[in-house]
Amino acid sequence: MKPTPFRSMTSRFKMRCSKIVAALAVAAAALLVQTPESAAQPRPQELAANTRVIIDYIDPMLRFPRSQATLDRLRKRQVLEELSMFLSPLRLPRVLRIRTKSCGVVNAFYDRSEWAISLCYEFYEHLEQIAPQTTSPQGFTRDEVVVGGFIDAIFHELGHALFDILQVPVFGREEDAADQLSAFLMLQFGKDVARTTIKGAAFTYLNNRNPRSRAEYADEHGTDAQRFFNYLCLAYGGEPEAFRDFVDNGVLPKARADGCARENQLVRRAFAKTILPHIDVDLMKQVQSVRWLRPSDGRTSK
Amino acid sequence: MTFVVRLVLALAFIVPLGAASLHAQTFGPSGPGGGAGKPTPGADKPAPVPTPGPVFRPTTTDVTPPPAPPPTTAGADWGNSQVDVVYAEPQDPRFRPIRERLMRRQVLEQLRLFLSPLRLPRKLLVQVDQCNAEQRPYQPGGAVTICYEYIAKVAQLVPPTQQIGAPPPESMILGAVIQQVLHEVAIATFDILDIPVWGRERDAADKLAGFIMVQFGRDVALRVMVGAARYFELSERQWTQADFASEQAPEAQRFYNYLCIAIGADPATFRFLVDQNLMPQRRAQRCGNEFLSLRQAFVQQILPHVDVQLLKRVQSATWLMLDEPK
Ligand SMILES: [Zn+2]
């Protein structure tokens, strides 16, 4: 899921004065602290939008009239407006476009030739369809699946966009890297947000389909099962208390769990060195203190 | 006398090769007339045709021309002084012949020469040891270990004679052992140089190892990359649900990752992989961009720690001398 189907080429050979940046970044990383959640948390509206993020709710294609309701719902919830506020600490060297649209497929995309993220109405509708009415037998709630699943799609594509726009060095597989960035962001807003979003992301890979033929391993994405475990591992590594139940009940095998703190540390280091230098840390702390999710977010108002 | 670093050659003879004929069958790209890979219509939006990613080589303006004649390994004074090497004595007598062969071939000494361009801020111990496992993963701050068990397994899995459609056994052994060495060294390098690693660390190590393997010309790339990939194929096992929790990638994934680097680095040479259905067209289309992104990461993060003159010297070496008399 979530491939980047169209990857136009860019010439990218900028050298960096990496040591100084790295030192600053590591210092700033110490500031990446958890903010306690409270009822008094500010609303997103207290933040200014990122002026280099251009948002657009694109009308659904005529053959998908059902998606009009999805568009209305996303617009009413101000999903893209709040996303732009969420991105306010980010200093972007160029304009990033983020739009919701009909894609004809259940997916989300980053298009390098347009510097644009497309979030498909179909993907949101798919989440509403697969989400349990209340709670699944494995303990995943409707809110987690719809809200977490959609945020994961946004963050994953944001990962591709940032790697591209900021010319981030990616040594591993980029699809895994985008998942890592998504999971890492999910863990920066306190335990409740972390639980909702990580579980939602993991759920989309829960009823997974593993490769049926050898050639399927050629996919640049990991298998669904690999992605499922990657999310849980980064979560457990970053928030052991909040995610211990997944280890206790054997969902995340002990052999993997033992290395998750280090895996999380590697991602934290990569973030600190390659993305944090492009972030206004004061604004970032404000963003972290905001209450982004609302109790009603997973519910369809039908 | 052939001069120069012969790590690869040395590795070729770590294990007995039986009666493998070096000239039994050509393996690799077919001559002119091999059909071009067909595009798969409608599979996806067409990716832009990637410009063949030229392999990274310092430009002539970066460095003075390489000395002529090329450096010899005899009495070489350019080994990496931060790299210490040890052939640990195995407890299991079964591994002693492997150890003796490695020592006779000076495999680790050659690796020390090979790593000479890399400026390391601390000592790194590279050892061959009995692990009572196939691998002993690198621990931060620790040593790089190649296990006798791994080398023994490679020797056991690779058929002694060339199979139809497969590379010659010596290429598979070379590929398997070299990828293991470079993979472990890559993980140590990430740690020692404090390099940001996005993506799963072991995949990143494979990619850095593969990137290094394609820096030594077409012949080396063909033998080592295809050899390594085919060894993964040989060692494949069936993965089921819980297996996917592993931080290591399935052999088939590693197979495709290596071949994708090769295709991205040199599409013309490796197009036969697509023609022979060893690599699906859909992934192959993306390998050019994957390689550019890998090269960008290398240039940004590793190259600042590399002595470019020494790199040029290592690159100018003749690496694969399989026809050389034993
Ligand atoms: Zn993706």
Side-chain angles (χ1 to χ4, degrees):
Chain A
M1 237 186 283
K2 288 165 248 163
T4 48
F6 188 95
R7 311 170 92 190
S8 69
M9 242 182 31
T10 46
S11 170
R12 301 170 287 172
F13 299 101
K14 195 173 74 179
M15 295 280 273
R16 287 229 183 101
C17 183
S18 57
K19 275 191 181 152
I20 297 168
V21 172
L24 288 173
V26 171
L31 300 170
L32 277 177
V33 287
Q34 298 292 332
T35 321
E37 287 153 273
S38 78
Q41 278 179 294
R43 299 287 301 271
Q45 280 63 27
E46 295 176 26
L47 293 161
N50 188 325
T51 54
R52 310 212 94 190
V53 174
I54 297 178
I55 60 170
D56 196 0
Y57 298 91
I58 300 177
D59 285 338
M61 283 193 266
L62 293 176
R63 60 191 166 109
F64 302 121
R66 235 167 37 101
S67 292
Q68 186 62 47
T70 309
L71 182 156
D72 293 342
R73 176 162 164 66
L74 295 173
R75 196 203 301 267
K76 188 169 167 223
R77 177 61 182 80
Q78 297 200 296
V79 168
L80 293 182
E81 289 81 357
E82 290 198 9
L83 180 56
S84 176
M85 294 163 194
F86 177 84
L87 295 174
S88 59
L90 194 60
R91 287 187 286 256
L92 288 168
R94 67 182 72 248
V95 165
L96 168 66
R97 290 179 160 75
I98 306 178
R99 62 263 181 124
T100 60
K101 59 178 278 202
S102 297
C103 304
V105 289
V106 175
N107 220 324
F109 303 98
Y110 172 66
D111 185 334
R112 284 173 197 239
S113 67
E114 298 184 9
W115 314 91
I117 291 171
S118 297
L119 305 165
C120 310
Y121 298 127
E122 291 87 342
F123 186 76
Y124 189 84
E125 290 153 9
H126 170 72
L127 289 171
E128 291 200 310
Q129 202 190 328
I130 62 169
Q133 276 315 308
T134 51
T135 304
S136 82
Q138 307 95 338
F140 291 84
T141 69
R142 182 168 187 84
D143 280 14
E144 287 165 354
V145 174
V146 175
V147 178
F150 198 60
I151 288 177
D152 180 45
I154 296 172
F155 284 178
H156 175 97
E157 300 310 329
L158 181 64
H160 285 303
L162 294 187
F163 297 150
D164 183 34
I165 295 174
L166 303 177
Q167 301 188 31
V168 170
V170 177
F171 273 106
R173 289 165 34 116
E174 185 176 328
E175 291 301 336
D176 293 329
D179 282 352
Q180 288 177 336
L181 181 83
S182 178
F184 181 78
L185 292 178
M186 291 171 174
L187 295 168
Q188 305 309 316
F189 298 88
K191 291 188 171 93
D192 290 347
V193 171
R195 286 283 292 188
T196 300
T197 50
I198 292 277
K199 283 182 72 183
F203 184 86
T204 59
Y205 301 114
L206 181 66
N207 297 312
N208 51 61
R209 236 195 98 251
N210 288 322
R212 275 172 293 199
S213 75
R214 185 165 184 280
E216 287 186 36
Y217 284 102
D219 197 309
E220 62 269 62
H221 300 79
T223 65
D224 284 357
Q226 282 178 310
R227 298 178 78 175
F228 175 80
F229 291 120
N230 290 342
Y231 276 92
L232 290 184
C233 182
L234 287 179
Y236 175 65
E239 288 280 2
E241 279 79 44
F243 290 92
R244 187 175 304 284
D245 53 332
F246 287 96
V247 183
D248 290 343
N249 63 21
V251 171
L252 181 63
K254 178 105 172 46
R256 175 69 177 271
D258 287 345
C260 292
R262 176 157 184 274
E263 282 190 46
N264 182 284
Q265 193 55 41
L266 279 176
V267 171
R268 173 174 288 260
R269 183 177 85 182
F271 183 88
K273 286 191 164 209
T274 63
I275 296 186
L276 202 57
H278 304 278
I279 285 177
D280 179 319
V281 175
D282 288 335
L283 271 178
M284 181 182 77
K285 287 162 87 175
Q286 279 186 49
V287 166
Q288 281 184 297
S289 71
V290 162
R291 184 181 174 83
W292 293 98
L293 303 185
R294 297 180 213 156
S296 61
D297 277 348
R299 269 150 245 168
T300 316
S301 46
K302 274 183 198 161
Chain B
M1 173 60 199
T2 325
F3 28 76
V4 198
V5 191
R6 285 176 299 168
L7 164 68
V8 176
L9 169 66
L11 286 169
F13 300 103
I14 297 163
V15 288
L17 287 178
S21 163
L22 294 173
H23 308 286
Q25 183 188 345
T26 49
F27 174 80
S30 49
K38 273 187 235 147
T40 21
D44 211 335
K45 280 199 225 174
V49 177
T51 308
V55 166
F56 172 76
R57 285 181 187 280
T59 61
T60 43
T61 52
D62 289 341
V63 289
T64 50
T72 70
T73 56
D77 57 352
W78 45 290
N80 194 322
S81 60
Q82 291 285 67
V83 175
D84 291 330
V85 300
V86 167
Y87 304 88
E89 179 87 53
Q91 283 181 326
D92 188 335
R94 191 158 70 89
F95 298 132
R96 282 190 199 135
I98 295 177
R99 176 174 186 256
E100 280 156 26
R101 229 172 273 119
L102 291 168
M103 290 176 78
R104 199 163 58 238
R105 296 288 171 181
Q106 298 198 300
V107 169
L108 293 181
E109 290 82 352
Q110 304 282 355
L111 176 67
R112 234 180 128 249
L113 284 179
F114 179 81
L115 294 175
S116 59
L118 188 62
R119 286 191 283 254
L120 294 172
R122 74 157 170 92
K123 284 272 186 193
L124 174 64
L125 173 66
V126 180
Q127 60 183 355
V128 194
D129 198 2
Q130 180 175 335
C131 308
N132 301 319
E134 246 175 69
Q135 302 188 27
R136 186 189 295 162
Y138 174 87
Q139 299 298 319
V144 166
T145 307
I146 306 302
C147 303
Y148 289 116
E149 288 87 344
Y150 177 79
I151 298 172
K153 185 190 168 194
V154 171
Q156 185 208 324
L157 273 184
V158 173
T161 54
Q162 184 169 9
Q163 313 293 299
I164 291 169
E170 60 271 27
S171 286
M172 287 159 87
I173 292 169
L174 282 177
V177 177
I178 289 171
Q179 75 76 23
Q180 177 75 359
V181 173
L182 293 182
H183 173 100
E184 292 297 321
V185 168
I187 288 186
T189 304
F190 292 146
D191 175 46
I192 295 173
L193 299 179
D194 204 23
I195 285 169
V197 177
W198 281 109
R200 285 153 50 108
E201 188 186 26
R202 283 165 171 279
D203 293 334
D206 275 353
K207 286 179 72 176
L208 180 53
F211 183 80
I212 292 168
M213 290 178 186
V214 296
Q215 303 305 315
F216 297 88
R218 184 176 178 273
D219 290 346
V220 172
L222 260 175
R223 287 177 196 278
V224 183
M225 296 297 278
V226 177
R230 284 308 192 109
Y231 175 75
F232 288 130
E233 193 179 28
L234 208 56
S235 56
E236 246 168 70
R237 60 195 169 84
Q238 195 67 42
W239 285 57
T240 56
Q241 180 62 19
D243 295 329
F244 288 105
S246 172
E247 56 194 11
Q248 195 147 3
E251 296 83 8
Q253 254 174 9
R254 302 181 74 189
F255 170 91
Y256 290 116
N257 289 343
Y258 268 96
L259 294 186
C260 191
I261 294 167
I263 291 169
D266 187 349
T269 295
F270 289 98
R271 203 189 57 188
F272 77 94
L273 296 170
V274 182
D275 296 343
Q276 295 177 11
N277 287 321
L278 290 167
M279 169 67 83
Q281 178 74 36
R282 193 177 172 285
R283 173 73 177 272
Q285 283 174 345
R286 295 158 198 254
C287 296
N289 283 334
E290 279 190 39
F291 186 79
L292 285 176
S293 152
L294 175 58
R295 186 171 64 173
Q296 178 201 334
F298 180 87
V299 169
Q300 271 189 31
Q301 297 294 328
I302 309 274
L303 200 58
H305 304 281
V306 167
D307 179 323
V308 178
Q309 293 216 29
L310 276 173
L311 174 64
K312 191 92 182 166
R313 204 167 171 184
V314 168
Q315 277 187 308
S316 72
T318 307
W319 280 80
L320 265 185
M321 304 296 295
L322 286 174
D323 315 337
E324 187 178 274
K326 302 169 197 179

